[in-house]
């Protein structure tokens, strides 16, 4: 089975978490944490900063490792390294996603998360006060 390794940014602002909606592919309209594939020679933190610049035209600080999720999709095995992050600037521009929302803890279940991201959402709900 094909293996894909990615990084994901759990961007926090106050008590809200940033979620993005896919605008393409098999999982179009499902929600996810922004991020993407690591390139050869990149650390997870470098890959995350690059992906967020590409996807959202903004800068983040990678604050803390949260978890690694392994999930078997029908076509591939995903390994996703998730980091808690903060914005370095307030400007965000959706370059790849269809929509985005800032979700409070009580709103996290209001969107249709990608299967691998559901595990991260459950962990976040247990950690957010």
């Amino acid at each position: 089975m094909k293996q894909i390794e990615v990084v994901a940014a759990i961007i926090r602002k106050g008590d809200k978490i940033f979620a993005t909606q896919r605008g393409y592919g098999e999982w179009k309209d499902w929600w996810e944490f922004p991020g993407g594939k690591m390139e050869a020679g990149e650390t997870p933190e470098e890959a995350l900063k690059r992906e967020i610049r590409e996807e959202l035209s903004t800068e983040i600080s990678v604050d803390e490792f949260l978890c690694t999720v392994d999930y078997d999709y029908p076509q591939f095995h995903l390994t996703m390294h998730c980091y808690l992050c903060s914005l370095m600037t307030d400007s965000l521009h959706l370059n790849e996603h269809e929509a985005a929302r800032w979700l409070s803890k009580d709103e996290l279940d209001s969107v249709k998360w990608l299967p691998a991201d559901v595990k991260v959402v459950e962990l976040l709900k247990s950690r957010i006060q």
Side-chain angles (χ1 to χ4, degrees), residues 24-120:
Y24 59 90
E26 179 183 356
W27 299 94
K28 182 181 177 339
D29 296 331
W30 290 60
W31 289 77
E32 65 185 346
F33 297 105
K37 294 179 186 154
M38 294 169 52
E39 294 179 356
E42 279 184 321
T43 67
E45 294 86 352
E46 290 167 340
L48 204 48
K49 289 178 180 183
R50 177 187 49 76
E51 284 287 344
I52 297 305
R53 273 193 304 275
E54 291 172 5
E55 292 183 10
L56 300 171
S57 297
T58 195
E59 299 294 326
I60 58 166
S61 102
V62 179
D63 302 327
E64 177 187 346
F65 173 76
L66 179 66
C67 65
T68 294
V69 172
D70 283 291
Y71 188 85
D72 287 321
Y73 282 95
Q75 307 300 325
F76 59 91
H77 175 81
L78 179 76
T79 299
M80 179 171 65
H81 307 291
C82 304
Y83 292 82
L84 297 173
C85 301
S86 338
L87 291 174
M88 303 293 284
T89 170
D90 280 338
S91 66
L92 285 168
H93 185 269
L94 299 181
N95 297 323
E96 296 181 15
H97 295 93
E98 192 167 71
R101 289 179 54 194
W102 287 99
L103 302 171
S104 68
K105 178 182 178 179
D106 295 339
E107 296 169 320
L108 285 171
D109 290 330
S110 68
V111 299
K112 186 176 180 182
W113 291 98
L114 284 169
D117 292 68
V118 168
K119 296 180 178 194
V120 182

